[in-house]
Amino acid sequence: MPRRTGWRVCSTPSCPEFTQAGKCEGCRSEAEQRRGTARQRGYGREHEQRFRPGVLARNPRCVCTEERHRHGSPCGQPSKHADHYPLSRRELTEQGKDPNDPAHGRGLCGPCHSSETARHQPGGWNA
């Protein structure tokens, strides 16, 4: 049986380029430019000095209990990410609330944070 080479068409609709996985280099670069820097997305000094440390101090262990992650009790892995919850940073800003208040966040481990991001932003970071 012949082996698969691993090359696929770029995941960007109507892009004919081939790539090993996901988007081709041109589409990936374009998406990163649209996304903007962390500072442009609102993750500035106050996020680094107030939100993230406050959330991780309150939740040093992952608090995710989602069924789809296959654990009914808190995950318990060390928290690496301060996740806005239950509202996103964008929703908090739209409602006039302070998105850097640690009360609007929860600590998650890497895998749980990635799963939550994929679930809430299925079209990617720009969705």
Side-chain angles (χ1 to χ4, degrees):
M1 179 175 276
R3 293 174 59 128
R4 294 182 69 167
T5 62
W7 288 95
R8 298 183 177 122
V9 175
C10 175
S11 63
T12 302
S14 76
C15 179
E17 296 295 320
F18 284 90
T19 181
Q20 295 261 325
K23 297 181 183 209
C24 68
E25 188 57 42
C27 291
R28 189 177 306 121
S29 174
E30 194 175 302
E32 280 298 315
Q33 287 177 343
R34 281 194 315 267
R35 182 177 179 211
T37 65
R39 296 261 190 254
Q40 290 168 332
R41 292 189 318 267
Y43 297 98
R45 178 170 284 131
E46 196 169 357
H47 174 81
E48 293 171 1
Q49 294 179 349
R50 190 165 71 111
F51 180 74
R52 188 172 192 280
V55 170
L56 296 181
R58 187 184 67 234
N59 301 132
R61 298 267 178 206
C62 181
V63 297
C64 178
T65 58
E66 303 294 326
E67 274 301 314
R68 68 186 162 282
H69 296 170
R70 296 189 178 95
H71 45 74
S73 58
C75 173
Q77 295 297 313
S79 291
K80 301 282 187 201
H81 300 275
D83 182 53
H84 285 92
Y85 181 81
L87 301 174
S88 71
R89 179 177 192 83
R90 185 179 297 159
E91 292 167 330
L92 289 167
T93 303
E94 288 170 356
Q95 292 181 12
K97 296 179 180 175
D98 179 7
N100 293 312
D101 182 349
H104 298 298
R106 63 180 175 170
L108 297 179
C109 66
C112 289
H113 184 258
S114 293
S115 293
E116 286 297 304
T117 300
R119 181 170 159 255
H120 293 292
Q121 298 173 351
W125 291 97
N126 296 319

